[in-house]
């Protein structure tokens, strides 16, 4: 179990058809979610925010691709969010995946995909 508010390495984001999308970090505590990507110039892979229903890009240094996932890991909405914007809540979502703009296109991630966040090899 990781301490609340820390970022932990996640080996893979994997779709239900076994496509490996990217490595990621999980921000599952209040401090980690609040910090998010602030202060970074880029992001290799993705960051997973949970629980989370809405995001902002105030103070960000780059645009984001954002995916909102429901309780089953199904992508219910994706969007490109420019820097210095405030989003609106996606009520069906409980998890958000953020990546640098253009990543979802490269990964082929779209609404309806189911994403599993594999935190270990077990």
């Amino acid at each position: 179990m990781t301490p609340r508010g820390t970022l932990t390495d996640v080996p893979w984001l994997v779709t239900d058809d076994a496509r490996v999308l990217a490595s990621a970090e999980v921000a599952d505590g209040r401090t980690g979610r609040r910090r998010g990507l602030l202060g970074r110039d880029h992001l290799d892979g993705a960051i997973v925010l949970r629980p989370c229903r809405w995001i902002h890009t105030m103070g960000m240094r780059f645009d984001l691709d954002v995916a909102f996932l429901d309780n089953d890991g199904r992508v219910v909405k994706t969007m490109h969010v420019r820097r210095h914007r405030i989003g609106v809540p996606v009520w069906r979502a409980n998890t958000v995946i953020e990546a640098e703009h253009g990543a979802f296109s490269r990964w082929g991630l779209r609404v309806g995909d189911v994403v599993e966040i594999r935190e270990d090899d077990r």
Side-chain angles (χ1 to χ4, degrees), residues 10-24 26 48 50 69-75 95 97 109 113-122:
V10 176
W12 311 109
L13 295 178
V14 181
T15 63
D16 60 340
D17 61 355
R19 283 184 296 132
V20 176
L21 301 179
S23 62
V26 174
V48 177
R50 63 181 178 196
L69 282 60
D70 67 11
N71 289 332
D72 298 321
R74 185 170 307 278
V75 177
T95 301
I97 297 174
L109 183 68
D113 286 347
V114 175
V115 178
E116 179 183 348
I117 302 160
R118 292 194 184 167
E119 298 190 40
D120 58 30
D121 292 334
R122 289 180 242 165

Side-chain angles (χ1 to χ4, degrees), residues 1-9 26-29 50 119:
M1 187 81 178
T2 60
R4 301 300 289 171
T6 62
L7 292 177
T8 58
D9 288 334
V26 174
D28 60 359
R50 63 181 178 196
E119 298 190 40

Side-chain angles (χ1 to χ4, degrees), residues 4-121:
R4 301 300 289 171
T6 62
L7 292 177
T8 58
D9 288 334
V10 176
W12 311 109
L13 295 178
V14 181
T15 63
D16 60 340
D17 61 355
R19 283 184 296 132
V20 176
L21 301 179
S23 62
E25 299 172 356
V26 174
D28 60 359
R30 202 175 263 219
T31 302
R33 288 191 318 267
R34 189 176 306 125
R35 184 177 310 132
L37 298 173
L38 289 174
R40 298 190 193 191
D41 292 322
H42 67 88
L43 174 64
D44 293 324
I47 188 168
V48 177
L49 307 170
R50 63 181 178 196
C52 187
R53 290 191 170 136
W54 73 277
I55 58 98
H56 70 85
T57 57
M58 302 304 293
M60 297 288 174
R61 297 179 180 167
F62 53 92
D63 294 355
L64 298 177
D65 282 348
V66 180
F68 296 88
L69 282 60
D70 67 11
N71 289 332
D72 298 321
R74 185 170 307 278
V75 177
V76 296
K77 183 176 185 172
T78 63
M79 58 192 311
H80 166 222
V81 182
R82 297 185 190 279
R83 298 173 37 202
H84 311 299
R85 301 289 192 261
I86 297 175
V88 296
V90 177
W91 296 111
R92 294 180 295 162
N94 76 343
T95 301
V96 169
I97 297 174
E98 296 179 342
E100 280 196 34
H101 177 58
F104 290 0
S105 178
R106 287 190 310 275
W107 302 346
L109 183 68
R110 41 185 119 20
V111 171
D113 286 347
V114 175
V115 178
E116 179 183 348
I117 302 160
R118 292 194 184 167
E119 298 190 40
D120 58 30
D121 292 334

